[in-house]
Amino acid sequence: MMRQRKNIERRLESLRAEFEGLAGAAIDTEWRGAVGNPTRLLIGASRVGDLIVTTPPDGGSRGDAHRSTDIGNVILQAGRPVLVASANQDNFRIDKVLVGWKDTREARRAVTDAMPFLQLAQEVRVVTIDNDATDETWNSLDDVVASLSFHGVKAKAEVFPEKSDGRTIADVAEAMHANLVISGAYGHSSFREWIFGGATRSLLQNDRLNRIMSN
C-alpha cells in the first residue's frame, strides 16, 4: 500500500507539471492534488470554483471508484454546473448550442449557469421533448426564448416527440451538429434511477457531445 501511494504521488507530480505546462502563465491557476476518493475530492474542491470541467472516464477506469470520478454523483452533489467534455477533443468551439428544456428547477438553473456560453453561440435552439405539446408547453418555451433574448441571446424553440430509449435530445444535438448541450440533470444520487426517463443517462453516455449539466 505504501508503494502504491508513492506511485500515485509521483503520478500526481507528473500531472501537475503537465497541467502547469498546458495552462502557461497567461492565466492564474492553482493545483490541488491529493490521494483519496476522486469523486469526494472533486466535490470538495468545487467550492472554490464556478464550473467543473471533466471528461468521461477512460475505458479501463470506468466503474473504478479509486481511479475515476462518478460524474453523476458530482453533478448531483457538487452544487456547481459540470461541463462534461466529449472524448478525444482537441479544441472546444461554441457555435451551435442546444438547450434541453423541461420546466423544472434543474433546467432553469442549467440555463442560468450556462449563460456565458449561450452568449458566445451563433445558433441556439431550445428543445422540449413532448409527444403532446400543449399551449402551456409552448408558453414555457416562449418564456425561455424571451429570457435569453433579454441577455442578448437569439434562440429558436422546437418540440420533438419522445423516443423510448431517451436519446431524443442527443439525436437532435447530433443532427444540428451542436457544439454544446445544456441540460438539467434528473436522478437520484446513485444515478441508477431516473426522474426524467433515460434522457440524462443518455446524455451522460454520449461521449461525442460536450454537455453542461446542472442539478
Side-chain angles (χ1 to χ4, degrees):
M1 290 180 65
M2 291 180 65
R3 283 198 301 270
Q4 288 179 341
R5 185 181 182 91
K6 289 293 184 183
N7 288 336
I8 293 171
E9 289 172 346
R10 283 194 293 269
R11 175 62 175 155
L12 285 173
E13 284 303 311
S14 174
L15 289 171
R16 177 174 185 168
E18 182 179 352
F19 167 78
E20 291 175 345
L22 289 169
I27 57 174
D28 292 331
T29 62
E30 177 185 348
W31 171 266
R32 293 193 177 195
V35 179
N37 180 279
T39 300
R40 288 198 294 269
L41 289 171
L42 180 56
I43 290 171
S46 68
R47 58 180 169 258
V48 300
D50 300 316
L51 174 70
I52 297 171
V53 181
T54 185
T55 59
D58 292 332
S61 300
R62 291 181 185 273
D64 188 340
H66 301 290
R67 298 181 60 198
S68 66
T69 56
D70 182 333
I71 296 177
N73 279 324
V74 170
I75 293 171
L76 291 174
Q77 297 181 37
R80 297 289 187 271
V82 179
L83 194 165
V84 186
S86 65
N88 302 319
Q89 179 171 269
D90 294 328
N91 54 64
F92 181 38
R93 298 172 55 194
I94 310 175
D95 296 329
K96 299 181 179 181
V97 176
L98 182 149
V99 177
W101 177 254
K102 184 178 174 73
D103 193 10
T104 62
R105 174 186 65 85
E106 293 84 354
R108 297 187 199 105
R109 178 169 181 178
V111 171
T112 300
D113 288 341
M115 191 62 70
F117 295 92
L118 288 162
Q119 290 170 332
L120 293 173
Q122 302 298 314
E123 178 184 347
V124 177
R125 296 189 190 181
V126 183
V127 173
T128 283
I129 308 304
D130 194 335
N131 291 326
D132 300 297
T134 62
D135 288 343
E136 184 177 353
T137 303
W138 282 105
N139 289 338
S140 173
L141 285 167
D142 290 342
D143 284 344
V144 178
V145 170
S147 176
L148 289 173
S149 178
F150 180 78
H151 290 278
V153 179
K154 184 178 180 180
K156 176 183 178 182
E158 295 179 285
V159 175
F160 290 88
E162 184 176 6
K163 292 185 178 180
S164 59
D165 60 2
R167 275 190 48 83
T168 306
I169 289 291
D171 288 346
V172 174
E174 291 182 352
M176 72 174 283
H177 303 291
N179 308 117
L180 179 65
V181 177
I182 297 165
S183 164
Y186 306 85
H188 301 293
S189 58
S190 65
F191 255 51
R192 293 175 184 152
E193 223 175 28
W194 303 107
I195 297 172
F196 191 37
T200 304
R201 178 173 49 197
S202 176
L203 282 175
L204 279 175
Q205 292 175 343
N206 192 319
D207 292 350
R208 297 184 298 277
L209 295 172
N210 296 305
R211 297 134 285 174
I212 290 182
M213 309 183 81
S214 297
N215 178 264

